[in-house]
Amino acid sequence: MEKQKNGVGRRKEAVTRVFLSKGNGTITINDKDYKQYFSLIYLQNQVELPLKTIESLDKFDVKINATGGGIKGQAEAAKLGIARALLELSPDYRPALKAAGLLMRDSRGVERKKFGKKKARKSFQFSKR
């Protein structure tokens, strides 16, 4: 069996486990084609971005398990996971991936709800009289 590299990507509540191997460029997410799973084109571009950056879109097969969050969070988590798996494959890709900003995890999440408030910042309607 050929070498398979792994990478984990996280964004908001979404977590993706990425398995990268030599192949002909098929990308599957939860056993579906990524173009079927992410119907929006800009989300498809997010998933392709790390492979486009190192100009090897048709050299690797990518299998992704995505859980949690929404589709945008999953797409961005997949982007980070693919970049990390590529880095594990070859450290030579690091300068190109880093310049494109693909190795940085976006740590923003949901702010916690505060007591006496409706949500994190939203208050109940104020009535003076």
Side-chain angles (χ1 to χ4, degrees):
M1 183 168 155
E2 59 199 56
K3 282 191 170 186
Q4 178 176 300
K5 296 296 176 182
N6 305 335
V8 176
R10 292 184 191 89
R11 171 76 172 98
K12 293 185 176 179
E13 288 292 308
V15 180
T16 57
R17 290 193 313 281
V18 176
F19 306 99
L20 193 78
S21 57
K22 295 267 187 223
N24 56 1
T26 59
I27 302 173
T28 56
I29 301 174
N30 295 346
D31 300 321
K32 282 186 180 176
D33 183 54
Y34 79 108
K35 290 188 176 178
Q36 186 184 356
Y37 192 83
F38 296 124
S39 55
L40 300 171
I41 285 138
Y42 85 97
L43 294 177
Q44 295 170 14
N45 292 339
Q46 289 278 309
V47 175
E48 294 169 353
L49 193 61
L51 296 168
K52 282 181 181 171
T53 304
I54 59 162
E55 294 158 11
S56 59
L57 194 57
D58 55 351
K59 293 179 186 168
F60 299 107
D61 283 346
V62 183
K63 187 177 181 299
I64 302 170
N65 294 335
T67 56
I71 59 164
K72 186 171 192 277
Q74 286 183 357
E76 292 181 10
K79 175 175 72 170
L80 178 63
I82 292 169
R84 285 180 172 174
L86 286 168
L87 205 60
E88 203 176 296
L89 188 74
S90 171
D92 302 336
Y93 296 143
R94 187 174 182 83
L97 293 171
K98 193 169 173 67
L102 298 173
L103 298 176
M104 194 162 173
R105 190 225 194 271
D106 193 341
S107 61
R108 291 176 295 173
V110 179
E111 188 176 341
R112 80 170 199 86
K113 184 195 173 300
K114 317 301 185 304
F115 63 90
K117 299 266 187 179
K118 211 172 186 128
K119 289 169 42 175
R121 296 180 182 213
K122 185 176 183 177
S123 298
F124 294 101
Q125 187 172 351
F126 176 75
S127 173
K128 195 166 189 177
R129 284 179 190 86

